[in-house]
Amino acid sequence: MSVQQDTKLQPAKARSNAKLLKKLNAFKAWLYLLPALVFLGIFMVYPLIDVLVYSFEEGYNSASQTSFGTGWFNYAYVLHDPYFLQAVKNTFIIVIITVPLSTLLALLISLALNSIKKLKEVFQTIFFLPYVTNTLAVGLVFMIMFKKTPYTDGLINMILAIFKRGPVDFIDGPYWAKMFVMCFYTIWVVLPFKVLILTSALASVDEVYYKAAKIDGTSRFRMFTHITLPMISPMIFYLVITGFIGAFKAYSDEVAIFGTNLNSAGMNTIVGYVYDMLYGDSGGYPSYAAAAALILFAIVFTITVVNLLISKKTSIR
């Protein structure tokens, strides 16, 4: 073989070796991902498929593993069940009220903390304490504060009496009072995490932007709307999306305040309804629970997609 022919073959060999190396690296990457993929397949994909199958099996019996047919009856039953409709109403009220309010309050608190130089870490620790506190224990404290008994009207009613208001039975009384306690408690529980995230986001904004704006004589409000808000908007949208998902999965907070029989209290949620269908007093109906769970999945998925689309359009602008 001549030197000229060997020179021509070298680039071809290099390309072939590069392709082989690329395939080998891709194979290694999939090999490294294999344990995680197996884990996700067993504990996430398979249960989701299983729930989908259960949701269409009519009259499914978990003991005998049998059913008498397939169809849309489970979905029709769930969508016409008054308990489920009440749970959907409660869940949507909690979501609509708590997610925007908690995000706004977290932003205001984070801005205040960011402007404090002395004792900043102390205040951050104080605001983060509710996040590491047991949910059921805090719920019990809230119940004692708001509950009206034959012996005492509760701490909150004592405060209302100063302004010549009340007493109101926030735990066993009217629906609006119970929903107020629920929303107040939910905001209090989720606030620390949002404050932590937004405080970190504010700390990551480059001070150069603020210095340049001050030189131009820009007002603080304009700096907030044109510098701070755009810079931390990805974190705000992240908190909104995770807030929606978390609020739709609410259940333990309601149990902590109103007890396990949420249907009688009129304060059940969609997750609580699914649990009741599986294990509660009206339990033993996995097909209804599966149908309700998939309806919840569809609602959360739709809202998440809408939020992501809005966040992308906002970031492009």
CSV table of all heavy atoms in Angstrom, one decimal, residues 8 10-20:
chain,number,residue,atom,x,y,z
A,8,LYS,N,-5.1,8.5,3.0
A,8,LYS,CA,-6.5,8.7,2.7
A,8,LYS,C,-7.3,7.8,3.7
A,8,LYS,O,-8.5,8.2,4.1
A,8,LYS,CB,-6.8,8.3,1.3
A,8,LYS,CG,-6.3,9.3,0.3
A,8,LYS,CD,-6.7,8.8,-1.1
A,8,LYS,CE,-6.2,9.8,-2.2
A,8,LYS,NZ,-6.6,9.3,-3.6
A,10,GLN,N,-6.6,7.1,6.8
A,10,GLN,CA,-6.5,7.5,8.2
A,10,GLN,C,-7.7,8.3,8.7
A,10,GLN,O,-8.3,8.0,9.8
A,10,GLN,CB,-5.2,8.4,8.4
A,10,GLN,CG,-4.0,7.5,8.6
A,10,GLN,CD,-2.7,8.3,8.7
A,10,GLN,OE1,-2.8,9.6,8.7
A,10,GLN,NE2,-1.6,7.6,8.9
A,11,PRO,N,-8.2,9.3,7.9
A,11,PRO,CA,-9.5,10.0,8.4
A,11,PRO,C,-10.7,9.0,8.5
A,11,PRO,O,-11.5,9.1,9.4
A,11,PRO,CB,-9.7,11.0,7.3
A,11,PRO,CG,-8.4,11.2,6.7
A,11,PRO,CD,-7.7,9.9,6.7
A,12,ALA,N,-10.8,8.0,7.6
A,12,ALA,CA,-11.9,7.1,7.7
A,12,ALA,C,-11.8,6.2,8.9
A,12,ALA,O,-12.8,6.0,9.6
A,12,ALA,CB,-11.9,6.2,6.4
A,13,LYS,N,-10.5,5.8,9.3
A,13,LYS,CA,-10.4,5.0,10.5
A,13,LYS,C,-10.7,5.8,11.7
A,13,LYS,O,-11.3,5.4,12.7
A,13,LYS,CB,-8.9,4.5,10.6
A,13,LYS,CG,-8.6,3.4,9.7
A,13,LYS,CD,-7.2,2.9,9.9
A,13,LYS,CE,-6.8,1.7,9.0
A,13,LYS,NZ,-5.4,1.3,9.2
A,14,ALA,N,-10.3,7.1,11.7
A,14,ALA,CA,-10.6,8.0,12.8
A,14,ALA,C,-12.1,8.2,13.0
A,14,ALA,O,-12.6,8.1,14.2
A,14,ALA,CB,-9.9,9.4,12.6
A,15,ARG,N,-12.8,8.4,11.9
A,15,ARG,CA,-14.3,8.5,12.0
A,15,ARG,C,-14.9,7.2,12.5
A,15,ARG,O,-15.8,7.2,13.3
A,15,ARG,CB,-14.8,8.9,10.6
A,15,ARG,CG,-14.6,10.3,10.2
A,15,ARG,CD,-15.5,10.7,9.1
A,15,ARG,NE,-15.2,10.0,7.9
A,15,ARG,CZ,-14.3,10.3,7.0
A,15,ARG,NH1,-13.6,11.5,7.1
A,15,ARG,NH2,-14.1,9.6,5.9
A,16,SER,N,-14.4,6.1,12.0
A,16,SER,CA,-14.9,4.8,12.5
A,16,SER,C,-14.7,4.6,14.0
A,16,SER,O,-15.6,4.1,14.7
A,16,SER,CB,-14.3,3.7,11.7
A,16,SER,OG,-14.7,2.4,12.1
A,17,ASN,N,-13.5,4.9,14.4
A,17,ASN,CA,-13.1,4.8,15.8
A,17,ASN,C,-14.0,5.7,16.7
A,17,ASN,O,-14.4,5.4,17.8
A,17,ASN,CB,-11.6,5.1,16.1
A,17,ASN,CG,-10.8,4.0,15.5
A,17,ASN,OD1,-11.2,2.8,15.3
A,17,ASN,ND2,-9.5,4.3,15.1
A,18,ALA,N,-14.2,6.9,16.2
A,18,ALA,CA,-15.0,7.9,16.9
A,18,ALA,C,-16.5,7.4,17.1
A,18,ALA,O,-17.1,7.5,18.1
A,18,ALA,CB,-15.0,9.2,16.2
A,19,LYS,N,-17.0,6.8,16.0
A,19,LYS,CA,-18.4,6.3,16.1
A,19,LYS,C,-18.4,5.1,17.1
A,19,LYS,O,-19.4,5.0,17.8
A,19,LYS,CB,-18.8,5.8,14.7
A,19,LYS,CG,-19.1,6.9,13.7
A,19,LYS,CD,-19.6,6.4,12.4
A,19,LYS,CE,-19.9,7.5,11.4
A,19,LYS,NZ,-20.4,7.0,10.1
A,20,LEU,N,-17.4,4.3,17.0
A,20,LEU,CA,-17.4,3.1,17.9
A,20,LEU,C,-17.3,3.6,19.4
A,20,LEU,O,-18.0,3.0,20.3
A,20,LEU,CB,-16.2,2.2,17.6
A,20,LEU,CG,-16.0,0.9,18.4
A,20,LEU,CD1,-17.2,0.0,18.1
A,20,LEU,CD2,-14.8,0.2,18.0
